Amino acid sequence: MDGVLGLLFLLALGGAIYWLGLVSWTIRALMRPPRQTYGSAVSKGRSGDPSELEKARPYSNWTLPSQGRNLVVWDIDGEASEGPVVIVTHGWGSGKVNALARVPTLTALCSRIVLWDQPGHGESGGVCTLGVREPADLLAIIERVGQDRPIVLAGSSMGAGVSIAAASLCSDVALVIAEAPYAVPSTPARNVMRQRHAPIKLNLGPALSWVGLVSTKRWAGPSLSRSSEQPFDRTKLAAKLQCPLLVLHGDQDQTCPIEDGRAIATACTGGRIVEISGGTHQNLWKDQACRATMQREYTNAIRGLAHA
């Protein structure tokens, strides 16, 4: 009997160690995604900074201290001196180098285009908190940029949620453009891990809870979590927006389902969704037909500010 109990104890101990290791691996994967930098862009044959675009753009490179880490920012000159300032926030596992795809469209519409690396991405310090602390960083960038021109927040996936959250706390934002947003991070996290054939049943829930708990405790900006509302829920935050919200969502998105985009757009009084035929989570700026729709909707929305 003692031998059986000993064996059961060892099995239980091994299972606990395996579970802890799996949860720790998941936490690290969520908070430390692969960094997209100049080198990674050039290795894929893409522009590594605004000066390497087909039509090179003058820009400055500056760093902003925020919540104990340094954020790296590209501040790009636009051609419309009376146009708005557009701040573009990339998604999880991406970076400002990937956001460059939007610059040729925005150049003629804006006075400035600001691209930045979120914490734990690109060249910025820190770790990713899946959108809990990042809205405070975006608010710090808005303050640094100033409000002498209308502010437009544009974001993709996690960056879309960060833009919505920041705008819900800042009445100076004139427009939010959200590409492929999601309501809560468990949805894309689960879908991405399934696509990579990674385990999720035992580890994803505890990992997300740990990231949310630790990130919320360290929150240094305006709190999104002191009420009874889920701090991640972008649908509830969209309902608080005082500015128009344009949601651009592919109808074939397997990472962030279009139902989330519809719910977020519907929750906002000034919300509108454009469903992009054939659009996935990755091809909105790569597929020719999808890119044409994105360019048209960005142009119409930003030009519409002048008539609002």
Side-chain angles (χ1 to χ4, degrees):
M1 181 62 70
D2 289 343
V4 172
L5 290 175
L7 178 60
L8 291 174
F9 173 77
L10 288 176
L11 290 173
L13 180 61
I17 292 173
Y18 169 78
W19 177 78
L20 287 172
L22 192 59
V23 172
S24 298
W25 170 82
T26 306
I27 291 169
R28 181 176 178 81
L30 293 172
M31 300 186 75
R32 298 182 181 274
R35 289 179 179 265
Q36 303 298 314
T37 61
Y38 178 89
S40 62
V42 172
S43 69
K44 297 173 184 176
R46 301 174 184 169
S47 302
D49 64 44
S51 70
E52 296 182 354
L53 292 169
E54 185 175 351
K55 184 179 180 180
R57 297 304 310 164
Y59 75 104
S60 60
N61 191 339
W62 44 270
T63 301
L64 177 68
S66 177
Q67 302 187 87
R69 54 270 201 287
N70 290 324
L71 308 176
V72 180
V73 182
W74 285 339
D75 202 332
I76 306 167
D77 293 345
E79 296 175 347
S81 59
E82 299 301 313
V85 177
V86 177
I87 304 175
V88 182
T89 304
H90 63 79
W92 182 89
S94 187
K96 64 183 185 298
V97 291
N98 301 99
L100 281 171
R102 296 149 183 81
V103 172
T105 300
L106 294 172
T107 296
L109 303 169
C110 307
S111 55
R112 296 165 69 185
I113 305 114
V114 176
L115 312 182
W116 65 295
D117 284 326
Q118 295 194 68
H121 293 81
E123 300 173 291
S124 290
V127 295
C128 173
T129 66
L130 303 180
V132 177
R133 300 181 67 199
E134 286 82 357
D137 298 317
L138 182 50
L139 290 171
I141 290 176
I142 293 172
E143 183 177 0
R144 168 70 179 268
V145 166
Q147 283 111 36
D148 58 322
R149 304 300 308 152
I151 297 290
V152 175
L153 301 183
S156 173
S157 194
M158 187 182 89
V162 170
S163 298
I164 291 169
S168 74
L169 296 164
C170 181
S171 59
D172 295 315
V173 175
L175 169 69
V176 176
I177 302 176
E179 303 174 15
Y182 54 83
V184 293
S186 57
T187 300
R190 183 180 297 108
N191 289 335
V192 168
M193 293 183 75
R194 281 175 175 165
Q195 292 163 13
R196 297 178 179 178
H197 305 289
I200 58 174
K201 290 185 178 180
L202 298 176
N203 51 313
L204 183 57
L208 286 170
S209 297
W210 191 92
V211 173
L213 177 63
V214 172
S215 301
T216 301
K217 283 185 174 181
R218 296 178 62 189
W219 177 264
S223 180
L224 301 177
S225 57
R226 289 174 185 166
S227 68
S228 60
E229 294 183 1
Q230 157 61 266
F232 289 109
D233 194 335
R234 302 327 190 190
T235 305
K236 293 179 179 178
L237 293 174
K240 298 181 178 181
L241 293 182
Q242 300 177 38
C243 65
L245 167 66
L246 171 62
V247 175
L248 303 171
H249 214 126
D251 63 1
Q252 303 298 315
D253 195 326
Q254 300 298 311
T255 301
C256 299
I258 197 168
E259 289 77 13
D260 276 22
R262 291 170 183 157
I264 289 169
T266 301
C268 178
T269 301
R272 181 171 69 92
I273 184 170
V274 175
E275 301 185 12
I276 301 174
S277 178
T280 68
H281 200 65
Q282 303 294 339
N283 76 346
L284 295 181
W285 287 96
K286 296 176 182 177
D287 176 82
Q288 185 175 356
C290 293
R291 183 173 65 251
T293 302
M294 298 290 284
Q295 291 171 331
R296 182 185 69 243
E297 296 300 331
Y298 262 79
T299 299
N300 291 341
I302 292 174
R303 284 181 176 168
L305 290 175
H307 306 290

